[in-house]
Amino acid sequence: VQLQASGGGLVQAGGSLRLSCAASGSIFSINAMGWFRQAPGKKRELVADITRGGIANYADSVKGRFTISRDNAKNTVYLQMNSLKPEDTGVYYCNAGVQPRLSAPQVYWGQGTLVTVSS
């Protein structure tokens, strides 16, 4: 099972970006999916996550600006980021709780995509 994240880049403050993360491989089902970020010198933190049924949870710092969504048919999770601020800068990682077809369930991580917000 692999998670491939994309969509990061450089944007000015107030701008928008949309991140995508697609899971592939021998997957039976995916439970929760989420986005984390890690700023330079800081710990990785949860940005948002979403259940298979679509219930979303957000960090207080991004509520009202970011929207997480998923397409279960495509095994893909998205993060729409609006009104970006310089403090949103960091490497964004996706993760997913996966039940593979032939092994035990576990959490998989994507490789990370860099988001840089300039002031």
Side-chain angles (χ1 to χ4, degrees), residues 10-16 82-88 116-119:
L10 173 64
V11 64
Q12 288 188 330
S16 298
N82 299 328
S83 302
L84 282 159
K85 304 175 181 180
E87 51 264 43
D88 295 317
T116 304
V117 184
S118 63
S119 57

Side-chain angles (χ1 to χ4, degrees), residues 34-101:
W35 289 96
F36 288 70
R37 69 185 177 193
Q38 187 164 18
K42 295 191 176 179
K43 291 189 211 178
R44 191 175 298 189
E45 62 176 1
L46 173 69
V47 176
D49 59 19
I50 186 168
T51 66
R52 181 172 180 81
I55 298 173
N57 172 59
Y58 297 93
D60 287 342
S61 59
V62 307
K63 281 180 183 175
R65 300 188 297 122
F66 291 11
T67 301
I68 189 170
S69 61
R70 64 189 285 173
D71 184 332
N72 291 332
K74 295 181 178 180
N75 290 334
T76 299
V77 63
Y78 306 96
L79 187 68
Q80 177 66 44
M81 305 186 293
N82 299 328
S83 302
L84 282 159
K85 304 175 181 180
E87 51 264 43
D88 295 317
T89 293
V91 178
Y92 283 68
Y93 298 90
C94 59
N95 80 347
V98 177
Q99 172 59 68
R101 293 188 183 279

